[in-house]
Amino acid sequence: MQMYLLALNPTDSVTEGFLPAARRIGLGLTVLTDRPEEHRAAAGADVEVLECDVRDFHAVITRISARSHAPDAVFTNSDHLQTQAALAAAYFGLPAKSWQAALRTKDKAQMRRHLAAAGADTVRSAELHPGTDPVAAATAAGLPYPCVVKPREGVASEDVVRAEGPGELARRCEEIRSRRPGAVLVAEEYLPGELYTLETLGDGRVRHVLGGFRTELSPPPYFVEERLSYVPEHPRAITDQVLSQLDALGAGFGACHTEFVVHEGRARLIEVNYRAIGDQCDLLLAQLLDIPLFEHILRVHLGEQLPAELGARTGVAARLDYPCADRAGTLTAAPSAADLECGDVKLAYRPLRTVGERHELHRTNRDFLGVVRATGTDQGRVDRAVAEFLAAQRWEITP
C-alpha cells in the first residue's frame, strides 16, 4: 500500500513517530515537501522524498497523479497542510478528514464564527485585515479588555499576546504586522481559567479519548508552554463539553489535539489542532499508554477501523518540561541527551538546540532549548525526578 505524506519542515512527530510506524506496517511511503533536502537527511534512504509546493492542493494532486504508484492514503501531521491533504485525499476518493472541518479548525476566525452559529459557544472577537484599525474593530465587536491578539492561521503561540487596553492592542498589532506583512489577525476576548488539552483519535465511527495534559504557561503577556502534566481523565462533564464543540466543528477523524480552558465548570476552546499533539508529547503518549498510537493514526487514513478498545495502560503519570531561552544569543553550554531511571521513573532529555547555534528570542516554542520527558506511576515521584534533573543542569546563552 502506498501513502503520500505532506510535510513542511521535519518534525519529531514525523521522523520518530510516523516514519517508523509506516515501516512497521509495511507501507510504501513518499514524502511530499517544499524542503526535500532536509527530509532526505532526516528520513533515511528507504523513504522517497519529492519536492512539491505542498501548500497548494492542486500541486499536490498533480504531483501524485503523475506517479506510477496510485495512492492508498494522503496524510499529514502539519497544522498548515490539513486542508490540502483532505482535498487531495477527497480527489482520489480516499479516507480523509472533512476539508471543511480542517479549514474551520485552522482558521481561528472561522472557528469562532462556526461555533457561535452552531450555538456551541460565543467568544467576542474581531478579524483584523491589513489596514484595519484594531482599536476601532475591537470597539465595534464589543471586545472587552484584556484581550488576546494572534495570527488568524498561526501555530505554536507565535505572535500570540495579551493586550491590557486599546493602546497596547494597537501597539501589539503593529509589532506583529511588522513581522507578518499581509497577515490577517484575530483579536478576541481573554478567556480565564486553567489551560488543558484533550487528545482524541477517531475513525468516523468510534472516537477514543486518550486523556490530556494540564499546561503551565510563561507569565503574561505571552503564552509559551513551559510544562505539561498528563491528565488521565478529565471530569466527564468537561470532556463532554469539549467533545460537543468538536462535533460542532466536524472534527472527529484521525488525531486531534484540542486546547481549552476551564473556568467555573465551563470548558471553552482556545484552539483546535487537527493532528496529533507535538513537541514530543505524542512520543510520550505512545510510550506512556503502551499503544501503537502512530500506527493507529496511519491505519485510520488507510480506511481501517479502530478497535473498540485500545488497551491503553492505566495508573500512569507523566510530565514534560521545556527549558527555554530567556534572551537572544548563542548557546554556549548545554547538557547532552540522556536516558535515566530514577526509581520507577523513566526520564529522557533531548536537546532541541545545538551548542554554538545563535537564535533570536521568539516568545514561542522556538525558544525551547530541550525537552524533558518523564513517565512513572506516581505524579509526585515524576515531578521530583524532573525537578532534580533540571536543577543539576546548566544552559548558558551568550548575547
Side-chain angles (χ1 to χ4, degrees), residues 231-267:
V231 179
E233 188 175 15
H234 295 296
R236 184 73 252 175
I238 297 300
T239 298
D240 286 346
Q241 290 178 52
V242 175
L243 293 179
S244 176
Q245 292 177 72
L246 291 178
D247 287 341
L249 293 168
F253 186 88
C256 190
H257 161 58
T258 306
E259 299 179 7
F260 64 97
V261 292
V262 176
H263 181 62
E264 297 179 348
R266 184 180 179 188

Side-chain angles (χ1 to χ4, degrees), residues 137-278:
T139 301
L143 197 63
Y145 293 94
C147 69
V148 176
V149 62
K150 62 182 76 173
R152 185 181 64 184
E153 298 179 56
V155 295
S157 298
E158 292 196 15
D159 284 324
V160 180
V161 63
R162 192 167 97 170
E164 300 299 326
E168 188 174 6
L169 174 61
R171 186 171 67 254
R172 296 298 187 185
C173 287
E174 184 178 358
E175 292 171 355
I176 297 171
R177 284 168 170 168
S178 71
R179 293 185 290 269
R180 297 172 180 255
V184 179
L185 308 180
V186 172
E188 61 184 35
E189 64 178 292
Y190 172 74
L191 301 178
E194 296 291 331
L195 180 61
Y196 295 94
T197 83
L198 188 73
E199 313 305 325
T200 56
L201 174 61
D203 61 9
R205 174 189 60 92
V206 63
R207 177 168 53 194
H208 294 289
V209 175
L210 307 177
F213 294 88
R214 180 179 181 273
T215 305
E216 297 179 46
L217 299 171
S218 60
Y222 302 104
F223 298 87
V224 183
E225 297 176 354
E226 297 183 337
R227 177 177 301 118
L228 288 88
S229 300
Y230 181 63
V231 179
E233 188 175 15
H234 295 296
R236 184 73 252 175
I238 297 300
T239 298
D240 286 346
Q241 290 178 52
V242 175
L243 293 179
S244 176
Q245 292 177 72
L246 291 178
D247 287 341
L249 293 168
F253 186 88
C256 190
H257 161 58
T258 306
E259 299 179 7
F260 64 97
V261 292
V262 176
H263 181 62
E264 297 179 348
R266 184 180 179 188
R268 309 188 76 183
L269 300 190
I270 299 297
E271 66 178 35
V272 177
N273 302 119
Y274 206 1
R275 42 86 176 158
I277 187 173

Side-chain angles (χ1 to χ4, degrees), residues 3-7 13-14 18-19 29-32 64 72-78 81-82 85-86 88-89 94-95 97 253-255 274-276 294 297-302:
M3 175 174 283
Y4 289 85
L5 187 152
L6 279 55
S13 296
V14 170
F18 289 109
L19 295 187
L29 186 66
T30 299
V31 175
L32 300 182
I64 295 174
D72 295 291
V74 179
F75 171 75
T76 186
N77 197 55
S78 169
L81 304 177
Q82 293 297 332
L94 302 172
K97 297 169 182 174
F253 186 88
Y274 206 1
R275 42 86 176 158
F294 297 97
I297 295 170
L298 294 181
R299 288 184 184 281
V300 165
H301 286 265
L302 289 165

